[in-house]
Short mmCIF file of all heavy atoms in Angstrom, two decimals:
data_model
loop_
_atom_site.label_atom_id
_atom_site.label_comp_id
_atom_site.label_asym_id
_atom_site.label_seq_id
_atom_site.Cartn_x
_atom_site.Cartn_y
_atom_site.Cartn_z
N ALA A 1 -18.63 -11.21 2.14
CA ALA A 1 -18.89 -10.44 0.94
C ALA A 1 -18.73 -11.34 -0.27
O ALA A 1 -17.89 -12.23 -0.28
CB ALA A 1 -17.93 -9.27 0.86
N GLU A 2 -19.53 -11.08 -1.25
CA GLU A 2 -19.42 -11.80 -2.51
C GLU A 2 -18.26 -11.19 -3.31
O GLU A 2 -18.01 -9.99 -3.24
CB GLU A 2 -20.71 -11.66 -3.32
CG GLU A 2 -21.90 -12.34 -2.68
CD GLU A 2 -21.80 -13.85 -2.70
OE1 GLU A 2 -21.27 -14.40 -3.69
OE2 GLU A 2 -22.24 -14.48 -1.73
N GLU A 3 -17.58 -12.03 -4.08
CA GLU A 3 -16.45 -11.55 -4.87
C GLU A 3 -16.85 -10.39 -5.79
O GLU A 3 -16.09 -9.43 -5.96
CB GLU A 3 -15.88 -12.70 -5.70
CG GLU A 3 -14.63 -12.34 -6.47
CD GLU A 3 -14.03 -13.51 -7.18
OE1 GLU A 3 -14.77 -14.27 -7.83
OE2 GLU A 3 -12.80 -13.67 -7.08
N SER A 4 -18.02 -10.46 -6.34
CA SER A 4 -18.48 -9.40 -7.25
C SER A 4 -18.58 -8.04 -6.56
O SER A 4 -18.53 -7.00 -7.21
CB SER A 4 -19.82 -9.78 -7.85
OG SER A 4 -20.80 -9.93 -6.83
N GLU A 5 -18.70 -8.04 -5.23
CA GLU A 5 -18.83 -6.80 -4.48
C GLU A 5 -17.51 -6.03 -4.35
O GLU A 5 -17.52 -4.83 -4.11
CB GLU A 5 -19.38 -7.07 -3.08
CG GLU A 5 -20.79 -7.63 -3.08
CD GLU A 5 -21.25 -7.96 -1.67
OE1 GLU A 5 -21.36 -7.02 -0.85
OE2 GLU A 5 -21.49 -9.15 -1.40
N PHE A 6 -16.38 -6.72 -4.50
CA PHE A 6 -15.10 -6.02 -4.32
C PHE A 6 -14.09 -6.29 -5.43
O PHE A 6 -12.99 -5.74 -5.41
CB PHE A 6 -14.48 -6.38 -2.97
CG PHE A 6 -14.20 -7.84 -2.77
CD1 PHE A 6 -13.03 -8.40 -3.20
CD2 PHE A 6 -15.13 -8.65 -2.13
CE1 PHE A 6 -12.77 -9.75 -3.01
CE2 PHE A 6 -14.88 -10.00 -1.92
CZ PHE A 6 -13.69 -10.55 -2.38
N ALA A 7 -14.42 -7.08 -6.43
CA ALA A 7 -13.49 -7.42 -7.51
C ALA A 7 -12.96 -6.18 -8.22
O ALA A 7 -11.78 -6.13 -8.59
CB ALA A 7 -14.15 -8.37 -8.50
N ASP A 8 -13.77 -5.16 -8.41
CA ASP A 8 -13.32 -3.96 -9.11
C ASP A 8 -12.25 -3.19 -8.33
O ASP A 8 -11.49 -2.42 -8.91
CB ASP A 8 -14.50 -3.03 -9.39
CG ASP A 8 -15.44 -3.60 -10.44
OD1 ASP A 8 -15.03 -4.51 -11.18
OD2 ASP A 8 -16.60 -3.14 -10.51
N ALA A 9 -12.16 -3.40 -7.04
CA ALA A 9 -11.15 -2.72 -6.22
C ALA A 9 -9.74 -3.18 -6.55
O ALA A 9 -8.77 -2.49 -6.26
CB ALA A 9 -11.44 -2.93 -4.74
N PHE A 10 -9.62 -4.36 -7.15
CA PHE A 10 -8.33 -4.94 -7.49
C PHE A 10 -8.25 -5.21 -8.99
O PHE A 10 -7.92 -6.29 -9.43
CB PHE A 10 -8.11 -6.24 -6.71
CG PHE A 10 -8.41 -6.10 -5.24
CD1 PHE A 10 -9.48 -6.76 -4.66
CD2 PHE A 10 -7.63 -5.29 -4.43
CE1 PHE A 10 -9.76 -6.63 -3.31
CE2 PHE A 10 -7.91 -5.16 -3.08
CZ PHE A 10 -8.97 -5.82 -2.52
N GLY A 11 -8.55 -4.19 -9.78
CA GLY A 11 -8.67 -4.33 -11.23
C GLY A 11 -7.44 -4.84 -11.94
O GLY A 11 -7.55 -5.42 -13.01
N ASP A 12 -6.25 -4.66 -11.36
CA ASP A 12 -5.05 -5.13 -12.02
C ASP A 12 -4.65 -6.54 -11.57
O ASP A 12 -3.60 -7.04 -11.97
CB ASP A 12 -3.89 -4.16 -11.81
CG ASP A 12 -3.58 -3.89 -10.35
OD1 ASP A 12 -4.46 -4.16 -9.50
OD2 ASP A 12 -2.48 -3.41 -10.06
N CYS A 13 -5.47 -7.18 -10.77
CA CYS A 13 -5.24 -8.56 -10.32
C CYS A 13 -6.21 -9.49 -11.04
O CYS A 13 -7.30 -9.08 -11.42
CB CYS A 13 -5.47 -8.69 -8.81
SG CYS A 13 -4.37 -7.70 -7.81
N GLU A 14 -5.79 -10.75 -11.19
CA GLU A 14 -6.71 -11.74 -11.74
C GLU A 14 -7.86 -11.93 -10.77
O GLU A 14 -7.67 -11.92 -9.55
CB GLU A 14 -5.99 -13.08 -11.95
CG GLU A 14 -4.98 -13.06 -13.07
CD GLU A 14 -4.29 -14.40 -13.23
OE1 GLU A 14 -4.72 -15.41 -12.63
OE2 GLU A 14 -3.27 -14.43 -13.95
N ARG A 15 -9.04 -12.10 -11.30
CA ARG A 15 -10.22 -12.29 -10.46
C ARG A 15 -10.01 -13.54 -9.58
O ARG A 15 -9.65 -14.59 -10.06
CB ARG A 15 -11.46 -12.46 -11.32
CG ARG A 15 -12.72 -12.43 -10.51
CD ARG A 15 -13.94 -12.42 -11.42
NE ARG A 15 -15.12 -12.25 -10.60
CZ ARG A 15 -15.92 -11.20 -10.65
NH1 ARG A 15 -15.67 -10.24 -11.51
NH2 ARG A 15 -16.96 -11.12 -9.87
N GLY A 16 -10.22 -13.37 -8.29
CA GLY A 16 -10.06 -14.46 -7.35
C GLY A 16 -8.66 -14.60 -6.78
O GLY A 16 -8.43 -15.40 -5.87
N ALA A 17 -7.71 -13.82 -7.27
CA ALA A 17 -6.35 -13.87 -6.75
C ALA A 17 -6.15 -12.71 -5.77
O ALA A 17 -6.67 -11.62 -5.97
CB ALA A 17 -5.34 -13.76 -7.88
N GLU A 18 -5.39 -12.97 -4.72
CA GLU A 18 -5.16 -11.94 -3.71
C GLU A 18 -4.27 -10.85 -4.27
O GLU A 18 -3.31 -11.12 -4.99
CB GLU A 18 -4.48 -12.54 -2.47
CG GLU A 18 -5.29 -13.56 -1.74
CD GLU A 18 -5.08 -14.97 -2.30
OE1 GLU A 18 -4.25 -15.16 -3.20
OE2 GLU A 18 -5.76 -15.88 -1.82
N PRO A 19 -4.54 -9.60 -3.91
CA PRO A 19 -3.64 -8.52 -4.31
C PRO A 19 -2.31 -8.69 -3.58
O PRO A 19 -2.29 -9.15 -2.44
CB PRO A 19 -4.37 -7.26 -3.87
CG PRO A 19 -5.33 -7.70 -2.83
CD PRO A 19 -5.68 -9.12 -3.13
N PRO A 20 -1.20 -8.34 -4.22
CA PRO A 20 0.10 -8.61 -3.62
C PRO A 20 0.44 -7.77 -2.40
O PRO A 20 0.99 -8.28 -1.44
CB PRO A 20 1.07 -8.33 -4.76
CG PRO A 20 0.36 -7.38 -5.65
CD PRO A 20 -1.09 -7.74 -5.54
N LEU A 21 0.11 -6.50 -2.42
CA LEU A 21 0.46 -5.60 -1.33
C LEU A 21 -0.76 -4.75 -0.99
O LEU A 21 -1.17 -3.89 -1.76
CB LEU A 21 1.64 -4.70 -1.73
CG LEU A 21 2.89 -5.44 -2.21
CD1 LEU A 21 3.86 -4.47 -2.85
CD2 LEU A 21 3.55 -6.21 -1.07
N GLY A 22 -1.33 -5.00 0.16
CA GLY A 22 -2.57 -4.34 0.54
C GLY A 22 -2.51 -2.83 0.52
O GLY A 22 -3.48 -2.17 0.14
N ASN A 23 -1.37 -2.26 0.90
CA ASN A 23 -1.28 -0.80 0.96
C ASN A 23 -1.42 -0.15 -0.42
O ASN A 23 -1.79 1.01 -0.52
CB ASN A 23 0.01 -0.35 1.65
CG ASN A 23 1.26 -0.81 0.94
OD1 ASN A 23 1.30 -1.89 0.37
ND2 ASN A 23 2.29 0.00 0.98
N LEU A 24 -1.18 -0.90 -1.49
CA LEU A 24 -1.38 -0.36 -2.84
C LEU A 24 -2.85 -0.14 -3.13
O LEU A 24 -3.21 0.56 -4.08
CB LEU A 24 -0.79 -1.31 -3.89
CG LEU A 24 0.71 -1.52 -3.85
CD1 LEU A 24 1.11 -2.52 -4.92
CD2 LEU A 24 1.44 -0.20 -4.02
N TYR A 25 -3.71 -0.75 -2.32
CA TYR A 25 -5.16 -0.68 -2.51
C TYR A 25 -5.86 -0.03 -1.32
O TYR A 25 -7.05 -0.19 -1.12
CB TYR A 25 -5.71 -2.08 -2.75
CG TYR A 25 -5.03 -2.76 -3.91
CD1 TYR A 25 -3.92 -3.56 -3.71
CD2 TYR A 25 -5.49 -2.57 -5.21
CE1 TYR A 25 -3.28 -4.16 -4.77
CE2 TYR A 25 -4.84 -3.17 -6.28
CZ TYR A 25 -3.73 -3.95 -6.05
OH TYR A 25 -3.09 -4.54 -7.11
N GLY A 26 -5.09 0.69 -0.50
CA GLY A 26 -5.67 1.39 0.64
C GLY A 26 -6.05 0.49 1.80
O GLY A 26 -6.88 0.86 2.62
N MET A 27 -5.44 -0.69 1.86
CA MET A 27 -5.76 -1.65 2.92
C MET A 27 -4.63 -1.70 3.94
O MET A 27 -3.45 -1.66 3.58
CB MET A 27 -5.95 -3.05 2.32
CG MET A 27 -7.10 -3.12 1.35
SD MET A 27 -7.15 -4.66 0.40
CE MET A 27 -7.04 -5.90 1.65
N LYS A 28 -4.97 -1.79 5.22
CA LYS A 28 -3.98 -1.94 6.28
C LYS A 28 -3.46 -3.37 6.27
O LYS A 28 -4.22 -4.32 6.08
CB LYS A 28 -4.62 -1.61 7.62
CG LYS A 28 -3.65 -1.70 8.78
CD LYS A 28 -4.20 -1.03 10.02
CE LYS A 28 -5.17 -1.90 10.75
NZ LYS A 28 -5.54 -1.37 12.07
N THR A 29 -2.16 -3.53 6.49
CA THR A 29 -1.55 -4.86 6.56
C THR A 29 -1.10 -5.11 7.99
O THR A 29 -0.44 -4.28 8.61
CB THR A 29 -0.33 -4.96 5.62
OG1 THR A 29 -0.77 -4.71 4.29
CG2 THR A 29 0.31 -6.33 5.69
N ILE A 30 -1.47 -6.27 8.51
CA ILE A 30 -1.12 -6.67 9.87
C ILE A 30 -0.22 -7.89 9.79
O ILE A 30 -0.50 -8.84 9.04
CB ILE A 30 -2.37 -7.00 10.69
CG1 ILE A 30 -3.25 -5.75 10.81
CG2 ILE A 30 -2.01 -7.56 12.06
CD1 ILE A 30 -4.59 -6.01 11.44
N VAL A 31 0.88 -7.89 10.55
CA VAL A 31 1.80 -9.01 10.62
C VAL A 31 1.91 -9.44 12.08
O VAL A 31 2.13 -8.60 12.96
CB VAL A 31 3.20 -8.63 10.07
CG1 VAL A 31 4.20 -9.75 10.28
CG2 VAL A 31 3.11 -8.24 8.61
N ASP A 32 1.76 -10.73 12.33
CA ASP A 32 1.88 -11.24 13.70
C ASP A 32 3.32 -11.11 14.18
O ASP A 32 4.26 -11.44 13.45
CB ASP A 32 1.45 -12.71 13.75
CG ASP A 32 1.28 -13.23 15.17
OD1 ASP A 32 2.21 -13.03 16.00
OD2 ASP A 32 0.25 -13.84 15.46
N LEU A 33 3.50 -10.63 15.41
CA LEU A 33 4.85 -10.45 15.94
C LEU A 33 5.61 -11.77 16.06
O LEU A 33 6.84 -11.79 16.14
CB LEU A 33 4.82 -9.70 17.27
CG LEU A 33 4.12 -10.34 18.46
CD1 LEU A 33 5.02 -11.31 19.20
CD2 LEU A 33 3.69 -9.25 19.41
N ARG A 34 4.91 -12.91 16.04
CA ARG A 34 5.57 -14.21 16.14
C ARG A 34 6.14 -14.69 14.80
O ARG A 34 6.87 -15.66 14.76
CB ARG A 34 4.61 -15.25 16.68
CG ARG A 34 4.26 -15.03 18.14
CD ARG A 34 3.23 -16.06 18.61
NE ARG A 34 2.83 -15.82 19.96
CZ ARG A 34 1.91 -14.94 20.33
NH1 ARG A 34 1.29 -14.20 19.44
NH2 ARG A 34 1.60 -14.77 21.60
N LEU A 35 5.79 -14.02 13.72
CA LEU A 35 6.31 -14.41 12.41
C LEU A 35 7.79 -14.10 12.39
O LEU A 35 8.19 -12.94 12.44
CB LEU A 35 5.58 -13.66 11.30
CG LEU A 35 5.97 -14.01 9.88
CD1 LEU A 35 5.72 -15.49 9.58
CD2 LEU A 35 5.19 -13.16 8.88
N ASP A 36 8.61 -15.14 12.35
CA ASP A 36 10.05 -14.92 12.43
C ASP A 36 10.81 -15.54 11.27
O ASP A 36 12.02 -15.70 11.32
CB ASP A 36 10.59 -15.45 13.76
CG ASP A 36 10.43 -16.96 13.92
OD1 ASP A 36 9.86 -17.60 13.03
OD2 ASP A 36 10.90 -17.49 14.93
N SER A 37 10.13 -15.87 10.21
CA SER A 37 10.78 -16.39 9.01
C SER A 37 11.62 -15.28 8.38
O SER A 37 11.20 -14.12 8.37
CB SER A 37 9.72 -16.87 8.02
OG SER A 37 10.32 -17.26 6.81
N PRO A 38 12.79 -15.61 7.86
CA PRO A 38 13.60 -14.56 7.23
C PRO A 38 12.99 -14.04 5.93
O PRO A 38 13.24 -12.92 5.51
CB PRO A 38 14.94 -15.23 6.97
CG PRO A 38 14.66 -16.69 6.97
CD PRO A 38 13.47 -16.89 7.87
N ARG A 39 12.15 -14.87 5.28
CA ARG A 39 11.53 -14.47 4.02
C ARG A 39 10.05 -14.83 4.03
O ARG A 39 9.63 -15.74 4.73
CB ARG A 39 12.20 -15.18 2.84
CG ARG A 39 13.66 -14.81 2.73
CD ARG A 39 14.37 -15.40 1.57
NE ARG A 39 13.84 -16.66 1.09
CZ ARG A 39 14.29 -17.31 0.06
NH1 ARG A 39 15.29 -16.82 -0.62
NH2 ARG A 39 13.78 -18.44 -0.32
N VAL A 40 9.28 -14.12 3.23
CA VAL A 40 7.86 -14.42 3.06
C VAL A 40 7.58 -14.57 1.56
O VAL A 40 8.23 -13.95 0.74
CB VAL A 40 6.95 -13.33 3.66
CG1 VAL A 40 7.07 -13.29 5.16
CG2 VAL A 40 7.25 -11.96 3.08
N THR A 41 6.62 -15.41 1.25
CA THR A 41 6.18 -15.61 -0.12
C THR A 41 4.68 -15.40 -0.17
O THR A 41 3.96 -15.90 0.69
CB THR A 41 6.54 -17.03 -0.61
OG1 THR A 41 7.96 -17.20 -0.53
CG2 THR A 41 6.08 -17.26 -2.04
N PHE A 42 4.22 -14.65 -1.15
CA PHE A 42 2.80 -14.35 -1.26
C PHE A 42 2.42 -14.23 -2.73
O PHE A 42 3.28 -14.10 -3.59
CB PHE A 42 2.46 -13.06 -0.49
CG PHE A 42 3.37 -11.90 -0.81
CD1 PHE A 42 3.04 -11.00 -1.81
CD2 PHE A 42 4.56 -11.73 -0.12
CE1 PHE A 42 3.88 -9.94 -2.11
CE2 PHE A 42 5.41 -10.68 -0.41
CZ PHE A 42 5.07 -9.78 -1.40
N ARG A 43 1.14 -14.29 -3.00
CA ARG A 43 0.65 -14.20 -4.38
C ARG A 43 0.96 -12.83 -4.97
O ARG A 43 0.93 -11.83 -4.28
CB ARG A 43 -0.84 -14.45 -4.44
CG ARG A 43 -1.20 -15.85 -4.04
CD ARG A 43 -2.45 -16.27 -4.76
NE ARG A 43 -2.86 -17.57 -4.26
CZ ARG A 43 -2.89 -18.64 -5.03
NH1 ARG A 43 -2.57 -18.58 -6.30
NH2 ARG A 43 -3.27 -19.79 -4.53
N GLY A 44 1.21 -12.83 -6.26
CA GLY A 44 1.54 -11.59 -6.96
C GLY A 44 0.38 -11.00 -7.73
O GLY A 44 0.58 -10.38 -8.76
N GLY A 45 -0.84 -11.25 -7.27
CA GLY A 45 -2.01 -10.71 -7.96
C GLY A 45 -2.49 -11.61 -9.09
O GLY A 45 -3.33 -11.21 -9.88
N SER A 46 -1.95 -12.83 -9.14
CA SER A 46 -2.38 -13.79 -10.15
C SER A 46 -2.46 -15.17 -9.51
O SER A 46 -2.06 -15.36 -8.37
CB SER A 46 -1.42 -13.81 -11.34
OG SER A 46 -0.26 -14.57 -11.05
N HIS A 47 -2.93 -16.13 -10.27
CA HIS A 47 -3.02 -17.50 -9.77
C HIS A 47 -1.74 -18.28 -10.04
O HIS A 47 -1.61 -19.42 -9.59
CB HIS A 47 -4.21 -18.22 -10.41
CG HIS A 47 -5.52 -17.63 -10.00
ND1 HIS A 47 -6.07 -17.81 -8.76
CD2 HIS A 47 -6.36 -16.81 -10.67
CE1 HIS A 47 -7.21 -17.15 -8.69
NE2 HIS A 47 -7.42 -16.52 -9.83
N THR A 48 -0.79 -17.70 -10.77
CA THR A 48 0.42 -18.43 -11.15
C THR A 48 1.71 -17.77 -10.70
O THR A 48 2.76 -18.39 -10.77
CB THR A 48 0.48 -18.61 -12.68
OG1 THR A 48 0.45 -17.32 -13.30
CG2 THR A 48 -0.70 -19.44 -13.18
N GLN A 49 1.67 -16.53 -10.24
CA GLN A 49 2.88 -15.83 -9.86
C GLN A 49 2.94 -15.60 -8.36
O GLN A 49 1.91 -15.29 -7.74
CB GLN A 49 2.98 -14.48 -10.56
CG GLN A 49 3.07 -14.61 -12.06
CD GLN A 49 3.04 -13.25 -12.73
OE1 GLN A 49 2.46 -12.30 -12.22
NE2 GLN A 49 3.65 -13.16 -13.90
N THR A 50 4.13 -15.75 -7.79
CA THR A 50 4.35 -15.44 -6.39
C THR A 50 5.52 -14.47 -6.28
O THR A 50 6.33 -14.34 -7.19
CB THR A 50 4.65 -16.70 -5.55
OG1 THR A 50 5.81 -17.34 -6.08
CG2 THR A 50 3.47 -17.65 -5.54
N ILE A 51 5.58 -13.81 -5.14
CA ILE A 51 6.67 -12.89 -4.83
C ILE A 51 7.30 -13.37 -3.53
O ILE A 51 6.60 -13.70 -2.58
CB ILE A 51 6.14 -11.46 -4.65
CG1 ILE A 51 5.47 -10.97 -5.94
CG2 ILE A 51 7.25 -10.52 -4.21
CD1 ILE A 51 4.68 -9.69 -5.78
N THR A 52 8.64 -13.41 -3.49
CA THR A 52 9.36 -13.75 -2.27
C THR A 52 10.29 -12.59 -1.93
O THR A 52 10.97 -12.06 -2.81
CB THR A 52 10.19 -15.04 -2.46
OG1 THR A 52 9.32 -16.12 -2.78
CG2 THR A 52 10.97 -15.39 -1.20
N MET A 53 10.26 -12.17 -0.69
CA MET A 53 11.14 -11.09 -0.24
C MET A 53 11.44 -11.27 1.24
O MET A 53 10.79 -12.08 1.92
CB MET A 53 10.51 -9.73 -0.52
CG MET A 53 9.24 -9.45 0.21
SD MET A 53 8.28 -7.99 -0.32
CE MET A 53 9.46 -6.76 -0.63
N SER A 54 12.41 -10.53 1.73
CA SER A 54 12.73 -10.63 3.16
C SER A 54 11.54 -10.11 3.95
O SER A 54 10.82 -9.20 3.51
CB SER A 54 13.99 -9.84 3.51
OG SER A 54 13.73 -8.46 3.56
N LEU A 55 11.33 -10.69 5.12
CA LEU A 55 10.24 -10.26 5.98
C LEU A 55 10.40 -8.80 6.35
O LEU A 55 9.43 -8.04 6.34
CB LEU A 55 10.16 -11.13 7.23
CG LEU A 55 9.12 -10.73 8.27
CD1 LEU A 55 7.72 -10.73 7.67
CD2 LEU A 55 9.19 -11.66 9.48
N GLU A 56 11.62 -8.37 6.63
CA GLU A 56 11.83 -6.98 7.01
C GLU A 56 11.48 -6.03 5.87
O GLU A 56 10.83 -5.01 6.07
CB GLU A 56 13.27 -6.75 7.46
CG GLU A 56 13.52 -5.37 8.02
CD GLU A 56 12.57 -4.98 9.16
OE1 GLU A 56 12.22 -5.84 9.99
OE2 GLU A 56 12.18 -3.80 9.21
N ASP A 57 11.89 -6.37 4.64
CA ASP A 57 11.54 -5.54 3.49
C ASP A 57 10.03 -5.50 3.30
O ASP A 57 9.46 -4.45 3.01
CB ASP A 57 12.21 -6.05 2.21
CG ASP A 57 13.69 -5.73 2.13
OD1 ASP A 57 14.18 -4.93 2.96
OD2 ASP A 57 14.36 -6.29 1.24
N TYR A 58 9.37 -6.64 3.47
CA TYR A 58 7.92 -6.69 3.34
C TYR A 58 7.25 -5.76 4.35
O TYR A 58 6.37 -4.98 4.00
CB TYR A 58 7.42 -8.13 3.53
CG TYR A 58 5.93 -8.26 3.47
CD1 TYR A 58 5.25 -8.25 2.26
CD2 TYR A 58 5.17 -8.39 4.64
CE1 TYR A 58 3.87 -8.36 2.20
CE2 TYR A 58 3.80 -8.51 4.59
CZ TYR A 58 3.15 -8.49 3.37
OH TYR A 58 1.79 -8.59 3.32
N ARG A 59 7.70 -5.84 5.59
CA ARG A 59 7.12 -4.98 6.64
C ARG A 59 7.25 -3.50 6.28
O ARG A 59 6.33 -2.72 6.49
CB ARG A 59 7.80 -5.24 7.98
CG ARG A 59 7.43 -6.53 8.62
CD ARG A 59 8.19 -6.71 9.91
NE ARG A 59 7.83 -7.94 10.58
CZ ARG A 59 8.56 -8.52 11.51
NH1 ARG A 59 9.70 -7.96 11.89
NH2 ARG A 59 8.17 -9.63 12.08
N VAL A 60 8.40 -3.14 5.72
CA VAL A 60 8.63 -1.74 5.35
C VAL A 60 7.77 -1.35 4.15
O VAL A 60 7.10 -0.32 4.16
CB VAL A 60 10.13 -1.49 5.06
CG1 VAL A 60 10.35 -0.12 4.45
CG2 VAL A 60 10.95 -1.66 6.33
N VAL A 61 7.79 -2.18 3.10
CA VAL A 61 7.09 -1.86 1.86
C VAL A 61 5.58 -1.69 2.08
O VAL A 61 4.97 -0.79 1.51
CB VAL A 61 7.36 -2.94 0.79
CG1 VAL A 61 6.42 -2.82 -0.39
CG2 VAL A 61 8.80 -2.88 0.32
N VAL A 62 4.99 -2.54 2.92
CA VAL A 62 3.54 -2.45 3.14
C VAL A 62 3.18 -1.61 4.36
O VAL A 62 2.00 -1.47 4.68
CB VAL A 62 2.88 -3.85 3.27
CG1 VAL A 62 3.09 -4.65 2.01
CG2 VAL A 62 3.39 -4.60 4.48
N ALA A 63 4.18 -1.06 5.03
CA ALA A 63 3.96 -0.29 6.26
C ALA A 63 3.12 -1.11 7.24
O ALA A 63 2.11 -0.65 7.78
CB ALA A 63 3.29 1.06 5.95
N ALA A 64 3.55 -2.34 7.44
CA ALA A 64 2.81 -3.28 8.27
C ALA A 64 2.75 -2.87 9.74
O ALA A 64 3.72 -2.36 10.28
CB ALA A 64 3.43 -4.68 8.17
N GLU A 65 1.60 -3.13 10.32
CA GLU A 65 1.45 -2.98 11.77
C GLU A 65 1.74 -4.34 12.37
O GLU A 65 1.09 -5.33 12.04
CB GLU A 65 0.02 -2.56 12.11
CG GLU A 65 -0.21 -2.37 13.58
CD GLU A 65 -1.63 -1.94 13.90
OE1 GLU A 65 -2.38 -1.55 12.99
OE2 GLU A 65 -1.98 -2.03 15.09
N VAL A 66 2.77 -4.43 13.22
CA VAL A 66 3.15 -5.68 13.85
C VAL A 66 2.39 -5.78 15.15
O VAL A 66 2.51 -4.92 16.03
CB VAL A 66 4.68 -5.75 14.08
CG1 VAL A 66 5.06 -7.06 14.74
CG2 VAL A 66 5.42 -5.58 12.76
N VAL A 67 1.55 -6.83 15.28
CA VAL A 67 0.70 -6.98 16.45
C VAL A 67 0.74 -8.40 16.95
O VAL A 67 1.17 -9.32 16.26
CB VAL A 67 -0.77 -6.58 16.13
CG1 VAL A 67 -0.86 -5.14 15.69
CG2 VAL A 67 -1.36 -7.49 15.08
N ASP A 68 0.23 -8.59 18.15
CA ASP A 68 0.11 -9.91 18.75
C ASP A 68 -1.25 -10.49 18.34
O ASP A 68 -2.23 -10.33 19.03
CB ASP A 68 0.24 -9.81 20.27
CG ASP A 68 0.34 -11.15 20.95
OD1 ASP A 68 0.28 -12.19 20.25
OD2 ASP A 68 0.47 -11.17 22.18
N VAL A 69 -1.28 -11.13 17.19
CA VAL A 69 -2.53 -11.65 16.64
C VAL A 69 -3.10 -12.74 17.54
O VAL A 69 -4.31 -12.85 17.71
CB VAL A 69 -2.30 -12.21 15.20
CG1 VAL A 69 -3.55 -12.90 14.69
CG2 VAL A 69 -1.91 -11.08 14.27
N ALA A 70 -2.24 -13.55 18.14
CA ALA A 70 -2.69 -14.67 18.94
C ALA A 70 -2.86 -14.31 20.42
O ALA A 70 -2.83 -15.18 21.28
CB ALA A 70 -1.70 -15.84 18.78
N ALA A 71 -3.02 -13.05 20.73
CA ALA A 71 -3.20 -12.63 22.12
C ALA A 71 -4.37 -13.37 22.76
O ALA A 71 -5.37 -13.63 22.12
CB ALA A 71 -3.45 -11.12 22.20
N GLY A 72 -4.19 -13.74 23.99
CA GLY A 72 -5.25 -14.42 24.71
C GLY A 72 -5.08 -15.92 24.76
O GLY A 72 -5.92 -16.62 25.31
N GLU A 73 -4.00 -16.41 24.21
CA GLU A 73 -3.76 -17.86 24.27
C GLU A 73 -3.44 -18.30 25.66
O GLU A 73 -2.84 -17.62 26.43
CB GLU A 73 -2.58 -18.25 23.36
CG GLU A 73 -2.95 -18.28 21.93
CD GLU A 73 -1.82 -18.83 21.08
OE1 GLU A 73 -0.82 -19.34 21.59
OE2 GLU A 73 -1.97 -18.76 19.86
#
């Protein structure tokens, strides 16, 4: 998809920057079950800001579905 096709869906984010929490925009969030870092860092909807939080808090906040992304290895 071209950026122009979905940019309006993330109106409070800088153009070209990832939205911080997919569930705020009606998107499902998937987390690989192998992710075992105590904290995660992700873009905050801009090109200059990041957010760091515990992985467990992130999973709860975004209502993440924990799946085996690398199944079939």
Side-chain angles (χ1 to χ4, degrees):
E2 294 290 324
E3 185 175 46
S4 61
E5 295 177 63
F6 60 86
D8 291 342
F10 312 113
D12 57 342
C13 298
E14 290 179 12
R15 190 173 186 115
E18 297 88 4
L21 305 168
N23 61 325
L24 296 178
Y25 304 91
M27 298 169 51
K28 182 165 80 170
T29 301
I30 297 172
V31 174
D32 191 311
L33 63 84
R34 291 177 183 82
L35 183 60
D36 64 357
S37 175
R39 298 183 332 177
V40 293
T41 300
F42 49 93
R43 294 210 186 244
S46 79
H47 295 286
T48 58
Q49 297 175 332
T50 59
I51 299 168
T52 299
M53 64 191 320
S54 76
L55 176 58
E56 187 55 37
D57 285 349
Y58 177 78
R59 287 178 179 162
V60 170
V61 167
V62 299
E65 180 180 347
V66 180
V67 299
D68 189 359
V69 173
E73 283 187 9

